[in-house]
Amino acid sequence: MQVYEELVARGLIAQVTNEEEIKKMVNNGKAVFYIGFDPTADSLHVGHFMALCLMKRLQMAGNKPIALIGGGTGMVGDPSGRSDMRQMMTPETIQHNCDCFKKQMSKFIDFSEDRALMVNNADWLLPLNYVELLRDVGAHFSVNRMLTAECYKKRMEKGLSFLEFNYMIMQSYDFLMLYQKYGCNMQFGGDDQWSNMLGGTELIRRKLGKDAHAMTITLLLNSEGNKMGKTAKGAVWLDPEKTSPYEFYQYWRNVSDADVLKCLRMLTFLPLEQIDEMDRWEGSQLNEAKEILAYELTKLVHSEEEAKKAQESARALFGSGDAAEMPTAELTAEDFRDGKTDILTIVHRSGLAASRSEARRNVQQGGVTVDGEKVTDIGALYTEEQVRAGLVVKRGKKSFKKVIMN
């Protein structure tokens, strides 16, 4: 199976503008393609995973990735799927985030010997002359057509600023500049970016003629990407300082039964034949599939050693292994009275409950265990010595911490 056919089989491709030409370029290693990343934080998160894995797959087949950092567009606003305008960032903050991104991307993408590029659209957007942009680029865009784009229609009721309305023009200009500067002939993006991407393809053809080769592919990044990018407590980061390897492992270990095979196909590099065999799995076998998913992705992001540690620690919750790598929460002397602390303080201060009242409900409903023993007494007490030794506190099926003494 060639690389394009594999992308389709893994469920990664949603729409294309010229499938036969795109297939030929990708399979022959002739694609120079870009994917955009917003530098709104100093770490990538799991919502970027699909794009990073795609870039790695295509580079392995001889194609050249360009990671485009939106340092210029990051100073404006992106209406796609958002109800509020983003916060503007300083150039220093954007540069710091770019540096962090490249370090994390390097685990997926080989940037050596010009095999991949990271570029910042601030390099060409910030020096633009406004009148020149209106004349040379703006003239190629129909306002009526832009207003039919889904990303703008969603914002019309609440109000769409002129600043944000220009986003399609800027993103389209990005593709033109990447085409001219680096020979970029293909762009990838989530399906919420489809209108903007088509704008870029059309701009190249209008400016450079119908023979200009510019292709568009959209990834299936709608519900899957959004769901992967967030949990109930916020984003799951690729930076181990923000999300530990153990927490990262547990996030994937706890995906739903319905999503595990989809994630294995889209995000791991396991052979499709092996994943197809898992289609027959059910019941407890699905837990094994989730362990495989969690292990493979933790190895990809954090290393095989960290993946093994995380797996051993996760298994420790069920009676074997070493829980040393479990995420920890520290209590201080202020949390104790007469050398003891209560279960509500432990659950609340560990971050397993947002308040003591929530902790009380969790205990009363039988959702809390300490070292494997269910706790239903809201007055249960624990000594400093017990906490110093470490208590494995679990709320529900998926949330747990090793509580220790500072």
Side-chain angles (χ1 to χ4, degrees), residues 350-382:
S350 66
L352 294 173
S355 63
R356 284 181 64 87
S357 59
E358 182 181 323
R360 178 188 294 270
R361 288 194 299 273
N362 291 332
V363 172
Q364 290 174 331
Q365 293 169 2
V368 174
T369 65
V370 176
D371 288 342
E373 297 291 328
K374 183 178 290 188
V375 180
T376 56
D377 179 7
I378 61 173
L381 297 174
Y382 298 85

Side-chain angles (χ1 to χ4, degrees), residues 14 33 38 182 184 186 215 217 222 263 282 287 329 333 358 362 370 405:
F33 66 96
D38 289 328
Y182 307 107
C184 180
M186 197 174 294
M215 305 296 174
I217 296 184
N222 46 15
C263 291
E282 55 186 27
N287 287 329
E358 182 181 323
N362 291 332
V370 176
M405 183 76 177

Side-chain angles (χ1 to χ4, degrees), residues 194-255:
W194 185 243
S195 298
N196 293 351
M197 295 166 67
L198 289 178
T201 300
E202 184 64 21
L203 178 62
I204 289 176
R205 289 175 180 162
R206 284 175 174 269
K207 291 281 291 181
L208 305 179
K210 293 182 179 180
D211 293 332
H213 286 284
M215 305 296 174
T216 303
I217 296 184
T218 329
L219 302 186
L220 187 61
L221 269 176
N222 46 15
S223 60
E224 282 80 7
N226 292 334
K227 188 160 51 179
M228 289 174 190
K230 298 288 182 181
T231 65
K233 293 186 177 180
V236 177
W237 305 100
L238 305 194
D239 183 347
E241 297 299 318
K242 292 177 176 286
T243 299
S244 72
Y246 179 82
E247 291 170 314
F248 186 85
Y249 177 96
Q250 280 301 125
Y251 173 80
W252 296 108
R253 173 62 181 79
N254 290 321
V255 299

